[in-house]
Each structure stands twice: as C-alpha cells, then as structure tokens.
Amino acid sequence: MLLLEVISGERLPKPERGKMRVHKINNVNKALDFIASKGVKLVSIGAEEIVDGNAKMTLGMIWTIILRFAIQDISVEETSAKEGLLLWCQRKTAPYKNVNVQNFHISWKDGLAFNALIHRHRPDLIDYDSLRKDDPITNLNNAFEVAEKHLDIPKMLDAEDIVNTARPDEKAIMTYVSSFYHAFSGAQKAETAANRICKVLAVNQENEQMMEDYEKLASDLLEWIRRTIPWLENRTQEKTVNDMQAKQEDFRDYRRVHKPPKVQEKCQLEISFNTLQTKLRLSNRPAFMPSEGRMVSDINTAWHNLEGAEKGYEEWILSEIRRLERLEHLAEKFHQKAAIHESWTDGKEAMLTQKDYETSTLSEVKALLRKHEAFESDLAAHQDRVEQIAAIAQELNELDYYDAASVNARCSKICDQWDNLGALTHSRKDSLERTEKQLESIDELYLEYAKRAAPFNNWMEGAMEDLQDMFIVHNIDEIQGLITAHEQFKETLPEANKEREAIQSIQAEVQKIAQSNGIKLSGGNPYTSITPQSIDNKWEKAMAMVPQRDKALQEELNKQNSNDTLRATFATQANAVGAYIQAKMEEIGRISIEMNGTLEDQLTHLREYQQNIMSYMPEINKLEADHQHIQEALIFDNKYTSYTMEHLRVGWEQLLTTIARTINEVENQILTRDAKGISQEQLYEYRASFNHFDKKRSGQMVSDDFRALLISTGNSLGDSEFNRIMGLVDPNSTGSVTFQAFIDFMSRETTDTDTADQVIASFKILAGDKNYITADELRRELPPDQAEYCIARMAPYSGPDAVPGALDYMSFSTALYGESDL
C-alpha cells in the first residue's frame, strides 16, 4: 500500500494494524482494489497467494504495477504502451550506426542502444564514437553508470546477466527503458511539435510538386494542340487522287498513333487538377489557380477546337477525293471524245475547199452533190458529240480541274474547227447546187447506200463509244441501272443487224446491176467513204466489245456486293458497340449515386468495372479495322446503321473519361473522410440525404433543393447565411451543387483541421518560447529536406530581440495557409 501511494501520488484507505492472516489479506485486497480502480484487470492474482509468499504471483503483481504506472501512459502516435515505447526508441536511435531496435530483449544486449538513447538527448555525457560493438559489458556499464549519476535513473539491470542470457528479460528492459522515456519526456514535446511541422510541410511540398506537374502537362498538351490545328486546317488542294489518298493515310496515322496518348494526358490532367484542389481544401490551403490560359476550361476549349478541325479536315479529304475522281473520269472522257472527233474531222476542211466540180462531168457533179448531202447528214450526226465535248469542258472548269488550260485550248480548237466546217459545208453546197441543173441524176442506189450507211456507221461508233465508256458507281442500285441499260442495248442488236444486212444488200444490188449490164465501176461509192468492209469490221468489233462490257459490269456488280457486305459488317459491329457504350454510360450514372458498401468497396468495384470496360477495347479496335476497310473501299454511305465512326469514338472517349472521373470522385471522398475523420456511417447519411433531394438523379442539385437539404439537417437558414454557404459550395455560380462540394461543406462544419496558429505554437516549442528560430534548431528537430525547405523560405526575423541568423517562423506559418504572401 505504501508503494502504491508513492508511485501514484494518491492516498489509499487506512491499513489494518493487526498481525493475523485475515488482517494481511484485507490489506493486500485494499491494494488490489486500488489497482483495479485504475482500470487494470488482475487475472489469477489473489490476496491469499501474495500473503502466502507465492513468488510468481508477487512478481506478476509488481509487473502489473510497473506496466500501469510507469509504462501505460507512454503513447507515440496513438499506439499501445509497448508499441509506443518501441517506436520512440526506434526513432531516437535511428541515426546511430550498429543500432537496430526491433524488440525489448536481444536488441539491447550490446549496450549501444542504451548509450544511443542517452547521447541523443545528452550528447555531452557520452562519447558514442568511442564505443565498440564487440565490448557489450563496457557499453552496458557505461550507460548504467551515466544514467544513475546524471539522470537519476537507478541501476535496475546487471550487465553480465544481460550479456550471458540468450534472451534478456523483456519486462525488466521495458521497465528500465521506460525510465529513460520519462526522464526525457520534455524532449518528447519538441518531437511532437516537429512532427506537426513535418506533416504540414510535407503536405505543402507535395501540393507544390503537383502544381508544377499540372503546369508542365497543361503547357505540353496546349502546345501540341496549337501545332496540330494549323495542320488540320490546311486546305491545299492536290492534283490527283493518289496525292489526296496519301493525305488521308497521314490523317489515319494521326488518329491511330498520335492522338490516343494525348487523350490519356487530357484525362490525367483533369484528374490531377481535381485531386490537387481536394487536397488543398482538406488542408485549408487556398485553391490552386493555374497560369493564365492553362485552366481546365481553356484546355477543354482548345480540345473542342481540335476535334472541330479534325472533323472538318476529314470531311474535306473525302470531298476532295470524290471531286478528283470525278475530274479524272471527266478528263479521260473528254480526251476520248475529242480524239474520236479529231479523227473524224481530219481532212474534212481540205475536202470541202477543193473545186473538183469545176472540171467534172454532169454525172460527176451529181455525185459530188449527193456526196455532199451525205456529208451534211454525217456532220449533223456529229453535232451531239461536239456539244458533249463542250459540256464536259465546262464542267471541268466548274470543278477547278488543274489542267483546265489545255482542256480549254483543245475544246476551243474543236469548236472553231466545227464552225469553219459548217461555213465551208454551206459554201460548197451552194456551189454544187448552182451546177446541178446541168448534171444528170446519178445512181440512186449509191445515194441510198450513203444515206443509210452514214447514220448506221455513226450509230456503231456511238455504240462502240458507249461500250468503252468509263463508269463510276457507289452502290448496287447504280450498277444495276447500268446493267439494265446494257441489256436494253443488247435487245436492239437484232434490229441493228437487220439494218446492216439491208445496207449490205444495197451494195450487193449495185454489184449485181453492174455485172448484169456490163458496167465497169471505177472506184467506190462516190457519195460516201463508208465501205461495206468498214461496216462489217466495225460491227465485228462492236460485237466483241459486248462480252467485255458484260464482264466489266459483272465485276463492278461483284465489287458493289462486296462493298455492301462491308457496310453490313461495319453496321453490325457499330450497332453493338453503340448499344454497349450507351448501356455502360447509364450503368455508371446509376453507380455514381448508389451507396453499396464502404468507399473502399465502391472504389474497388469501380476499378474492376473500369477494367471490365477496358477489356472491351478489342471490339473497338475491330470496329476501327472495319471502318478502315470501308474507307479503303471508298464507301461514303451506309443504310444499315445510323452510327458513324466519329460518333462512336466520341462516345468511347466520354465513357472512359466518365468512369475515370467517377473513380476520382470516390478517391476524393476517401481523402475527405480520412482527413476530416468522417465515419462511414456519416458518409452513408450524407449520400442518402443528397440522393433524396437530388430529384433528377443527376449527381447535382439546384439551389432550392440544396436549401431543403440543409433545412433537413437541422440548419435554420436566412437568405444571407444561405448565400454565404452557396458561395462556398458553388464558387463558380453554376446554380448547382455536387456531392463532393456538399461533403466538403459538412466536413468543414463538423471537423477540425490544422491552423496557422497551431503551426506557430509548434514552431514556438521548437524555438524554446522565443519569437524566432535559428537554422541549427530547425536542422536538429526536423528531417533534412524539410528543415532546408523552411530555411529557404523563412524571412529574417527583425524584432527587438533578434540575433544573427534569426528566422521569422510566424509569417512563414501564416503564409502556409494563404493568409499573406510567402
């Protein structure tokens, strides 16, 4: 009872003075009751065993007293007594070589740990560098003697017992070490103050690094966008389809290779910005304002401009490819028709300008006149071709064909020559008609042959021209139209063959009459240059072209069928991907407002959900491959789906960004909960209240709903108080409040955080109650990097009690919380 009174500082009940066993048992019970009143549970220790001299029970009781009154009050960072004492020893001996405190037995056998504890607090009492690890007895005795002589710590242990025991008594060493803890308890306050400062400085350093990282990432992304947009806005036209297809391939490389990493950088930038702002709010720091032009909204605006430029560039490339294909087709058609016309007009001017009728006989003049009539018929038949050539040339000019100058020159030459032919034809006809009265009529059969042979020959030339005509189609309906027209043409061939046979029969009749009457024909038909042989040759050539045309049309039909298959393949995949993205977006919306499990469970579920979504990436890649096949086949429409690749890309990027933002919101809620000490039950209550008043289930509520929510939590709000709260939860005046802003507000209202005054008080402890602190004191009490951080940023102290090297910790602490300029 006397021992308990001494170590507790309290008075126990008056002991019984009798010498009988019952008196002794009662006195021991009074001591045991006092120990129990201090919250100590006594297990298997009874008064009878103590009175009977049970050594084991007596020692157990003594250890219980030591543990309660000498060790239990020891606490380091909210650990238990034993763990706290061990953690204190580890921190104090960490800088010393050959010392590694892991327990309270073998870690102390060489004596260096005891000497390190004394040297850490009183370096003037021990020359630690002179101690040797291989001389444990000397080390132990040195520590015991110094502790007893200078620190008033009794010598509780024997050096030989510790060294010669494989595992020294843990309780004895804990008891002895606790004496050092109590002896140096004053230094513990300084350590606590240093820990508080270290914590604050660590937060500040981490925030500054995150700000620098954000600024660099934002600058790099904006610079990339600035360089890329001019390239996408370049509309320099190319001359050929191949050149434009090369540009299209470069654009595909940009979409596949260059843009995806920048999408990830943009998403990471938004996540880093939100996390930084959350950390700043939780640590009572001012909100981070990026440099001008580097806000998240600035980056979103630049990104929107980039995507607009992308869309415009892609549409321009496809439009240019169509235009150049059309131009190349028209140019080839122009030159083909021009060549045929030039071939026909070759020598016609010379023929029309000759004056052979002046020396001809009557029959010869008649023949010349009729030949000229046949030529006029032929000339009229070629009028359509000349008009077609002029129309094609005009269309090439309207479509800005690069070689329009040569086309115009050739067209102008043809038109001038045609006008000249018309004038010469009219002049020659007048001349022949003037002499017609003097001439005999000529053989009508020749004339009939010429009149029928010329249009038939022209028809054959037109048919051959059509059979060789180039065509461009974009779907099955167009090629089916060409095939139908070709079949209709083939149905006219029997009638055309009858006309050919009729023309040939005219020539046969001429030969028959000549042979019957013994007429010797001199040369061919005087009215036309079209011979029966040339008609047969052209007919055979035209008939040979028919199966070639059949083959070309069938090949194009097969191509369009293949293109239609590509459309259907892309549409099937696009419809599946579009439905998947829409379903996942709706699921994420539901997940973000539901309360299932702890925040950690929700975070784990969201990350698993994110992995599940990322596992769908092969389907997106497959769709990209199908889309590439569509573009390579120059397919510009798809009746099987309303989705475009651009819409699906945007939807996929929005899906990835939404799940990343949702994960970030849960992470920020965990940060808020841990930093503010909010329980899981409180978070459930906050979420349930927020969801109840979030009528639209959008994750945001309008100000009227938010006022109702605050009133439901017991707040009685006037207009001025509500406007103040809205200024906190909606600083940008958007008119809506997010769940994160709501729990930030509730955590500020219900929890406490470090303040500038608390940091100033901690610095004052380290400075020994002085109004300034020195660099040596900072280096002694703080880790090296944080000590140098403070020294570099503290202004010199200028108070009346200033000494050389004094630093102003008060203004530094105030600046940490944004209350003045650092």
Side-chain angles (χ1 to χ4, degrees):
M1 292 175 71
L2 290 174
L3 173 62
L4 289 173
E5 287 184 345
V6 170
I7 64 177
S8 68
E10 299 181 22
R11 296 288 295 176
L12 269 70
K14 186 176 180 180
E16 298 180 9
R17 297 299 181 182
K19 301 297 184 180
M20 298 177 63
R21 173 179 172 83
V22 65
H23 298 143
K24 296 178 181 180
I25 290 174
N26 289 339
N27 287 337
V28 173
N29 276 328
K30 291 179 180 180
L32 296 178
D33 291 340
F34 179 81
I35 295 172
S37 71
K38 297 301 179 181
V40 178
K41 293 183 180 180
L42 299 172
V43 181
S44 302
I45 299 178
E48 291 79 7
E49 287 84 0
I50 304 299
V51 171
D52 293 338
N54 187 321
K56 183 176 180 181
M57 291 294 180
T58 304
L59 289 173
M61 184 184 69
I62 296 299
W63 170 246
T64 300
I65 293 172
I66 293 172
L67 189 61
R68 170 60 183 85
F69 295 99
I71 299 176
Q72 183 172 318
D73 292 335
I74 297 174
S75 178
V76 177
E77 294 187 357
E78 302 179 356
T79 60
S80 66
K82 179 178 178 181
E83 293 172 344
L85 185 59
L86 181 62
L87 180 60
W88 178 78
C89 295
Q90 290 171 340
R91 288 185 174 178
K92 294 301 181 182
T93 60
Y96 294 88
K97 62 181 180 179
N98 296 327
V99 177
N100 183 18
V101 178
Q102 298 297 328
N103 49 57
F104 286 106
H105 37 84
I106 60 175
S107 294
W108 303 82
K109 287 187 68 174
D110 58 9
L112 292 178
F114 290 108
N115 285 278
L117 279 178
I118 297 172
H119 185 268
R120 178 64 183 270
H121 297 90
R122 292 291 302 276
D124 57 311
L125 299 181
I126 290 179
D127 183 9
Y128 183 84
D129 294 334
S130 66
L131 301 177
R132 302 199 318 272
K133 186 175 179 65
D134 58 355
D135 190 6
I137 292 180
T138 301
N139 298 340
L140 289 166
N141 285 328
N142 180 64
F144 296 161
E145 291 169 4
V146 170
E148 185 174 31
K149 181 177 179 181
H150 297 283
L151 303 177
D152 293 329
I153 298 175
K155 184 178 180 183
M156 303 179 188
L157 306 174
D158 183 79
E160 286 74 15
D161 289 344
I162 294 176
V163 173
N164 296 328
T165 303
R167 179 186 171 96
D169 185 78
E170 184 180 50
K171 297 177 179 179
I173 291 180
M174 279 182 64
T175 303
Y176 188 60
V177 171
S178 69
S179 300
F180 285 91
Y181 177 89
H182 292 297
F184 299 131
S185 61
Q188 182 66 23
K189 294 181 180 179
E191 181 180 359
T192 301
N195 288 339
R196 178 182 289 274
I197 293 173
C198 290
K199 177 182 176 183
V200 172
L201 295 179
V203 170
N204 216 57
Q205 288 173 305
E206 182 181 1
N207 290 344
E208 288 183 359
Q209 184 61 46
M210 289 184 70
M211 293 176 189
E212 293 174 4
D213 294 343
Y214 174 88
E215 290 284 344
K216 183 179 186 305
L217 190 58
S219 298
D220 293 345
L221 184 58
L222 287 171
E223 176 61 19
W224 177 80
I225 293 174
R226 184 191 65 78
R227 294 195 312 268
T228 304
I229 287 179
W231 175 66
L232 293 173
E233 292 177 342
N234 181 16
R235 296 294 186 270
T236 302
Q237 294 181 337
E238 299 295 340
K239 295 181 178 180
T240 65
V241 174
N242 290 337
D243 292 340
M244 284 307 300
Q245 287 176 339
K247 279 193 172 184
Q248 186 181 44
E249 190 60 32
D250 292 341
F251 181 71
R252 289 174 183 161
D253 288 341
Y254 157 81
R255 276 272 178 79
R256 290 192 302 263
V257 179
H258 302 293
K259 185 182 177 184
K262 300 303 177 182
V263 174
Q264 296 298 324
E265 288 180 13
K266 177 176 176 292
C267 180
Q268 183 59 44
L269 195 67
E270 294 178 357
I271 291 174
S272 299
F273 181 83
N274 293 335
T275 301
L276 174 60
Q277 297 294 42
T278 299
K279 289 186 175 181
L280 290 173
R281 287 196 305 272
L282 295 177
S283 57
N284 280 345
R285 271 43 167 205
F288 169 55
M289 288 297 294
S291 302
E292 184 177 357
R294 294 185 177 89
M295 294 288 292
V296 172
S297 59
D298 297 326
I299 294 171
N300 287 335
T301 299
W303 191 264
H304 178 73
N305 294 337
L306 174 70
E307 291 184 333
E310 278 183 23
K311 182 178 180 182
Y313 188 68
E314 185 176 26
E315 291 174 350
W316 174 75
I317 286 178
L318 294 176
S319 174
E320 278 296 291
I321 290 176
R322 295 191 192 102
R323 184 181 70 85
L324 290 174
E325 284 182 339
R326 175 66 176 165
L327 284 175
E328 289 185 0
H329 170 69
L330 287 174
E332 185 173 356
K333 190 171 183 179
F334 170 84
H335 290 299
Q336 183 184 42
K337 288 182 177 293
I340 293 173
H341 177 77
E342 288 167 349
S343 175
W344 177 82
T345 58
D346 184 33
K348 294 296 188 294
E349 289 178 308
M351 180 195 74
L352 292 172
T353 55
Q354 64 182 348
K355 298 181 185 284
D356 52 342
Y357 54 84
E358 295 178 350
T359 58
S360 298
T361 64
L362 178 62
S363 60
E364 289 172 343
V365 171
K366 290 284 187 180
L368 289 176
L369 182 59
R370 291 172 180 171
K371 180 180 180 181
H372 186 75
E373 290 175 352
F375 172 76
E376 283 183 320
S377 177
D378 198 10
L379 184 69
H382 281 78
Q383 177 68 35
D384 289 340
R385 182 179 290 116
V386 174
E387 292 175 354
Q388 290 174 6
I389 291 172
I392 294 173
Q394 181 179 356
E395 188 172 359
L396 287 171
N397 279 275
E398 291 173 352
L399 294 176
D400 196 22
Y401 181 56
Y402 77 96
D403 197 21
S406 65
V407 170
N408 291 337
R410 192 172 186 180
C411 180
S412 178
K413 181 180 178 181
I414 289 172
C415 291
D416 292 343
Q417 185 186 40
W418 183 257
D419 293 338
N420 189 40
L421 283 176
L424 292 175
T425 300
H426 183 71
S427 176
R428 182 173 176 83
K429 182 177 181 180
D430 290 342
S431 299
L432 290 173
E433 286 178 345
R434 281 193 304 270
T435 59
E436 187 179 13
K437 295 177 181 180
Q438 304 170 2
L439 300 176
E440 298 284 342
S441 64
I442 61 173
D443 193 350
E444 293 295 332
L445 289 175
Y446 272 138
L447 182 58
E448 182 182 358
Y449 174 90
K451 288 182 177 181
R452 295 183 67 173
F456 184 76
N457 182 71
N458 190 58
W459 175 86
M460 284 195 298
E461 289 179 349
M464 292 167 61
E465 184 178 335
D466 291 337
L467 290 171
Q468 298 177 83
D469 188 22
M470 302 292 293
F471 55 84
I472 294 179
V473 295
H474 298 95
N475 53 56
I476 293 178
D477 293 338
E478 292 179 5
I479 188 62
Q480 287 289 5
L482 291 179
I483 292 174
T484 300
H486 183 63
E487 291 299 324
Q488 292 173 351
F489 165 75
K490 289 195 293 184
E491 290 174 359
T492 66
L493 291 180
E495 279 298 321
N497 189 42
K498 290 180 180 179
E499 177 65 12
R500 181 185 67 84
E501 292 174 350
I503 293 171
Q504 296 292 45
S505 67
I506 294 173
Q507 183 65 24
E509 184 67 18
V510 170
Q511 295 294 334
K512 180 179 178 182
I513 293 173
Q515 292 175 1
S516 300
N517 298 283
I519 300 173
K520 186 176 181 182
L521 299 175
S522 58
N525 192 319
Y527 307 112
T528 181
S529 60
I530 302 172
T531 65
Q533 186 61 40
S534 67
I535 290 177
D536 287 342
N537 290 341
K538 287 182 180 180
W539 177 262
E540 292 173 1
K541 187 176 181 181
M543 293 303 99
M545 290 179 179
V546 171
Q548 294 175 2
R549 183 72 169 184
D550 288 334
K551 180 180 178 182
L553 291 173
Q554 186 60 43
E555 289 175 351
E556 184 61 29
L557 178 62
N558 294 338
K559 176 184 174 183
Q560 290 304 321
N561 284 329
S562 174
N563 288 352
D564 206 56
T565 302
L566 289 177
R567 289 187 183 94
T569 301
F570 173 82
T572 300
Q573 185 70 3
N575 291 334
V577 170
Y580 176 86
I581 291 174
Q582 183 176 358
K584 293 302 177 182
M585 287 294 288
E586 294 174 354
E587 288 180 15
I588 293 171
R590 291 194 299 272
I591 291 172
S592 64
I593 63 174
E594 291 176 351
M595 299 180 296
N596 296 322
T598 64
L599 289 177
E600 285 76 7
D601 294 339
Q602 295 177 29
L603 184 60
T604 300
H605 177 63
L606 283 171
R607 286 175 175 161
E608 291 174 353
Y609 193 80
Q610 185 181 43
Q611 290 297 320
N612 177 263
I613 289 176
M614 292 306 297
S615 67
Y616 196 73
M617 193 64 191
E619 297 300 321
I620 302 297
N621 294 335
K622 181 177 182 300
L623 185 63
E624 287 284 3
D626 293 340
H627 182 252
Q628 183 172 348
H629 294 155
I630 287 284
Q631 289 190 322
E632 289 173 351
L634 300 177
I635 299 172
F636 306 113
D637 61 315
N638 195 332
K639 63 183 179 181
Y640 299 113
T641 180
S642 60
Y643 290 107
T644 66
M645 195 65 229
E646 182 63 27
H647 293 159
L648 294 176
R649 287 194 191 104
V650 172
W652 179 251
E653 291 172 1
Q654 288 178 345
L655 176 61
L656 297 182
T657 301
T658 300
I659 186 63
R661 286 175 178 166
T662 304
I663 291 173
N664 181 245
E665 288 177 0
V666 176
E667 290 173 341
N668 288 341
Q669 292 175 26
I670 292 174
L671 286 174
T672 303
R673 180 198 66 191
D674 295 343
K676 301 296 185 176
I678 300 173
S679 67
Q680 188 68 40
E681 290 73 19
Q682 286 178 301
L683 281 176
Y684 280 148
E685 182 179 352
Y686 292 161
R687 171 55 83 179
S689 299
F690 188 92
N691 289 347
H692 176 75
F693 288 93
D694 182 13
K695 302 297 180 18
K696 296 181 179 179
R697 292 295 185 266
S698 63
Q700 296 183 347
M701 63 173 66
V702 298
S703 59
D704 290 341
D705 291 342
F706 182 62
R707 181 192 286 268
L709 172 59
L710 292 178
I711 293 174
S712 74
T713 61
N715 291 288
S716 179
L717 301 176
D719 290 341
S720 60
E721 177 63 12
F722 179 72
N723 291 335
R724 180 191 71 80
I725 294 175
M726 282 300 293
L728 295 175
V729 299
D730 184 23
N732 296 326
S733 299
T734 62
S736 61
V737 180
T738 65
F739 178 65
Q740 183 62 42
F742 171 62
I743 62 173
D744 285 347
F745 167 73
M746 295 301 293
S747 64
R748 282 197 297 270
E749 296 294 313
T750 58
T751 61
D752 191 17
T753 58
D754 292 329
T755 65
D757 290 340
Q758 291 175 325
V759 176
I760 291 173
S762 298
F763 272 118
K764 194 161 189 174
I765 292 174
L766 296 187
D769 287 334
K770 299 190 297 295
N771 291 327
Y772 60 83
I773 194 167
T774 65
D776 291 339
E777 288 171 334
L778 288 171
R779 292 190 178 101
R780 184 176 70 244
E781 299 298 343
L782 300 180
D785 60 332
Q786 296 187 341
E788 296 304 326
Y789 179 85
C790 292
I791 293 170
R793 286 163 173 76
M794 284 186 181
Y797 178 71
S798 58
D801 52 344
V803 299
L807 300 174
D808 186 355
Y809 62 78
M810 292 187 182
S811 60
F812 172 76
S813 301
T814 303
L816 284 177
Y817 289 86
E819 298 177 17
S820 66
D821 292 333
L822 182 60

